[in-house]
Amino acid sequence: MINVSQIKKGIVIDHAEAGHGFHIYKALHLDALSDPVVLLTNIPSKKMGVKDMIKIETDFELNMDVLGLIDPYVTVNFVRDGQVVAKQSLTLPREVTGIMQCKNPRCITNYEKVDAVHFYLVDEEKKIYRCEYCDAYTRFKPE
Ligand code: CTP
Ligand code: ZN
């Protein structure tokens, strides 16, 4: 298997579904960081068969809502001094702010500049959310 170094400090996003790694990379804008980032895809895993993983050697904090939306089953490992000091498992967020865009073309948020639009979860399995302005349903899809 490919050998990738342990990190000294930062975050390891583990147990991402194979194929989700690049979506997570883009959604968290990891390309804009000047810190070291490693994206691993199709890594053999006993639990999952294959998985994706991202290692970020950084001091910055992740947007857990974005991560939970894309892949609620990831494990977030927090590393300090070369050791995993905490593990966080995620869930699909009940509500998100400023992350999603309303699918309704007539929604005010699509023709006026509205910041931080709230969406409320209505269907967990399908990742469908309701817009706070027009009540229309939008299914979350990562870009
Ligand atoms: N890791 C890392 N750098 C460190 C410590 C850990 O890159 N300094 C990575 C490990 O390579 C592993 C992940 O973080 O992929 C989680 O580490 P660890 O909790 O030690 O592994 P497991 O016990 O296998 O995790 P789990 O039980 O969650 O599968
Ligand atoms: Zn709307």
Side-chain angles (χ1 to χ4, degrees), residues 72-83:
Y73 306 113
V74 299
T75 309
V76 182
N77 297 278
F78 297 90
V79 178
R80 295 278 171 276
D81 300 320
Q83 304 292 325

Side-chain angles (χ1 to χ4, degrees), residues 101-104 106-110 117 119 130-138:
Q101 221 194 322
C102 187
K103 272 269 169 62
N104 174 8
R106 288 186 301 277
C107 179
I108 187 168
T109 61
N110 284 319
V117 182
F119 286 84
R130 177 175 59 80
C131 172
E132 67 166 316
Y133 284 93
C134 72
D135 286 332
Y137 289 178
T138 297

Side-chain angles (χ1 to χ4, degrees), residues 5-8 12 14-15 47 51 53 55 75 77 79 82-84 87:
S5 307
Q6 303 282 93
I7 60 172
K8 283 200 200 75
V12 177
D14 195 7
H15 307 129
K47 262 190 261 176
K51 67 178 181 182
M53 190 190 281
K55 299 191 182 199
T75 309
N77 297 278
V79 178
Q83 304 292 325
V84 175
K87 274 180 192 287

